[in-house]
Amino acid sequence: MSKAAELAKMGEVLTNSQIGGRRNMVINGAMQVAQRGTSFNYTTTDAYSLDRFRIDVTGGDNSAGAFTLTQAAVTDLPGFTKAMKFDVTTADTSIAAGEALNLSYRIEGQDLQQLKKGTSEAEKFTISFYVKGTAKTYALEILDIDNSRMNHQTFGVTTSWNRVVLTFDGDTTGALDNNNERSLDLNFWFHAGSTYAGGTMATGWGTSSGTNANRAAGIGSLYSSTDNELFITGLQMEVGSQATPFEHRSFGEELALCQRYFETLPSGGKVQFGPNSNSNFSSYSNANVIFKVEKRANPTVTATSSGNSNNAINSYSTAAISTWGFIGSGNAQANDAFFLSAFTADSEL
């Protein structure tokens, strides 16, 4: 690229206000945080995997396909050390109409107000990511939950790392809610039956009501062979029509951002409590777990109790604290302890 071209491109980026400040609207785009684990087997179950990323298997009861999702080490893409890897373990070449496989990333409305969606000044935005794997064509869907609208683009995968850059026009119809609820999904389509792929993929913004057949038209299938694999990392969403270099954040910062939605104890960790020094807890005691990061909303909390406790009850949880009631064993003394292990607090969208 000539110096003049470089300056012209820099000017375009500056015009789009993409330099400076927090640019990337995606959390854990470099696939570094994996509080739930680093390996998952999927057949018919919808579930979160690496932090902030959800697998949706639609019509899975009709599908023979299965795959393993892992947090894979990366050694051949400078600047990145982790990627999400899909490895097909059971092929599905007889695709039922209602089948679909998506990788989904969900975003709160209050974190998207800079898009100015639903106004005459709606901003373009650019989504970029790195992929490699079995050569296929897949699709990225932008799904507006608040206004039942969507936009799609396809992208290609090759056996070498490639940065995919997709720019979407601003949408002047339908403002996004300014709250902590789910407003916009980034859905990667990797497999679909005719219910979702039997139409024609439309370009530009349009209604998502009654148009399912257009959502994944023209894509290949990850499930077509057990030789198929896919790696993805470096996911970034930013305002403007240019893809800037991936915005790396420290692991500690990325972890804290993820813990707004999900928090767990380290493997083998325990939260220990004990009664006060003046009484036993043979009848009932309360204990509080203060979250490391305030949650998006009141979370669903789970844990296993042990020690001198017959039962533990999560009596109440707010976005900041979880209160537990413990029924003692009847012979617990003042210096005895009880524990919570396998503790999770989940407020995902």
Side-chain angles (χ1 to χ4, degrees):
M1 181 182 292
S2 69
K3 189 65 175 178
E6 289 179 2
L7 290 172
K9 184 163 184 168
M10 183 179 295
E12 185 175 1
V13 172
L14 286 168
T15 298
N16 286 311
S17 302
Q18 289 177 275
I19 291 182
R22 176 66 56 80
R23 291 177 286 108
N24 192 2
M25 290 178 257
V26 173
I27 298 169
N28 200 30
M31 310 298 173
Q32 293 179 290
V33 183
Q35 294 185 89
R36 295 174 179 84
T38 59
S39 182
F40 310 84
N41 295 313
Y42 286 97
T43 52
T44 63
T45 303
D46 300 342
Y48 278 87
S49 55
L50 306 188
D51 278 57
R52 301 295 297 118
F53 289 90
R54 174 185 171 90
I55 295 295
D56 289 322
V57 184
T58 305
D61 293 341
N62 300 316
S63 173
F67 67 95
T68 299
L69 185 153
T70 57
Q71 183 191 48
V74 173
T75 59
D76 56 348
L77 183 62
F80 295 90
T81 61
K82 302 292 183 183
M84 182 181 292
K85 179 185 179 182
F86 296 78
D87 187 9
V88 177
T89 54
T90 303
D92 178 15
T93 56
S94 180
I95 305 173
E99 291 182 29
L101 171 62
N102 307 108
L103 171 66
S104 181
Y105 183 90
R106 299 174 174 181
I107 310 178
E108 297 175 48
Q110 63 188 4
D111 293 335
L112 296 163
Q113 296 305 303
Q114 63 269 47
L115 297 180
K116 305 173 189 175
K117 193 177 181 299
T119 75
S120 60
E121 299 178 358
E123 298 276 4
K124 291 184 177 183
F125 59 92
T126 298
I127 296 174
S128 56
F129 50 93
Y130 293 87
V131 288
K132 76 170 184 176
T134 307
K136 294 281 184 182
T137 297
Y138 299 120
L140 173 61
E141 171 185 72
I142 312 301
L143 186 63
D144 175 355
I145 302 298
D146 293 332
N147 303 286
S148 300
R149 291 176 64 75
M150 62 184 184
N151 200 338
H152 305 80
Q153 292 190 44
T154 58
F155 62 92
V157 176
T158 67
T159 54
S160 299
W161 282 111
N162 175 52
R163 192 183 195 195
V164 175
V165 176
L166 305 174
T167 298
F168 295 84
D169 287 333
D171 186 12
T172 58
T173 300
L176 298 173
D177 294 342
N178 185 24
N179 58 25
N180 65 345
E181 300 298 327
R182 174 186 174 194
S183 281
L184 199 75
D185 293 359
L186 312 184
N187 294 325
F188 293 85
W189 286 81
F190 298 139
H191 171 84
S194 60
T195 298
Y196 303 98
T200 301
M201 184 174 290
T203 58
W205 287 98
T207 181
S208 60
S209 300
T211 56
N212 269 344
N214 301 333
R215 298 177 69 183
I219 71 166
S221 173
L222 180 66
Y223 283 150
S224 64
S225 169
T226 53
D227 293 331
N228 291 350
E229 61 180 11
L230 173 68
F231 296 79
I232 183 168
T233 193
L235 177 62
Q236 180 154 291
M237 177 179 177
E238 56 192 311
V239 175
S241 59
Q242 295 293 324
T244 63
F246 181 79
E247 181 185 18
H248 290 277
R249 295 188 281 258
S250 71
F251 180 84
E253 184 178 4
E254 209 74 66
L255 175 60
L257 291 170
C258 291
Q259 286 175 333
R260 172 173 166 78
Y261 302 91
F262 182 82
E263 179 180 326
T264 186
L265 289 173
S267 177
K270 292 182 178 180
V271 179
Q272 178 176 336
F273 304 96
N276 63 52
S277 59
N278 298 318
S279 64
N280 64 37
F281 56 105
S282 60
S283 55
Y284 191 84
S285 293
N286 286 326
N288 292 325
V289 178
I290 300 174
F291 302 133
K292 298 170 187 172
V293 175
E294 184 171 321
K295 300 294 169 275
R296 177 192 66 84
N298 293 355
T300 299
V301 178
T302 61
T304 300
S305 61
S306 59
N308 288 309
S309 174
N310 290 332
N311 194 19
I313 302 169
N314 179 212
S315 56
Y316 186 71
S317 291
T318 70
I321 193 169
S322 178
T323 299
W324 288 76
F326 293 86
I327 300 174
S329 62
N331 59 358
Q333 301 302 309
N335 294 323
D336 288 336
F338 52 96
F339 306 92
L340 289 179
S341 57
F343 179 90
T344 64
D346 190 335
S347 66
E348 286 283 5
L349 292 162

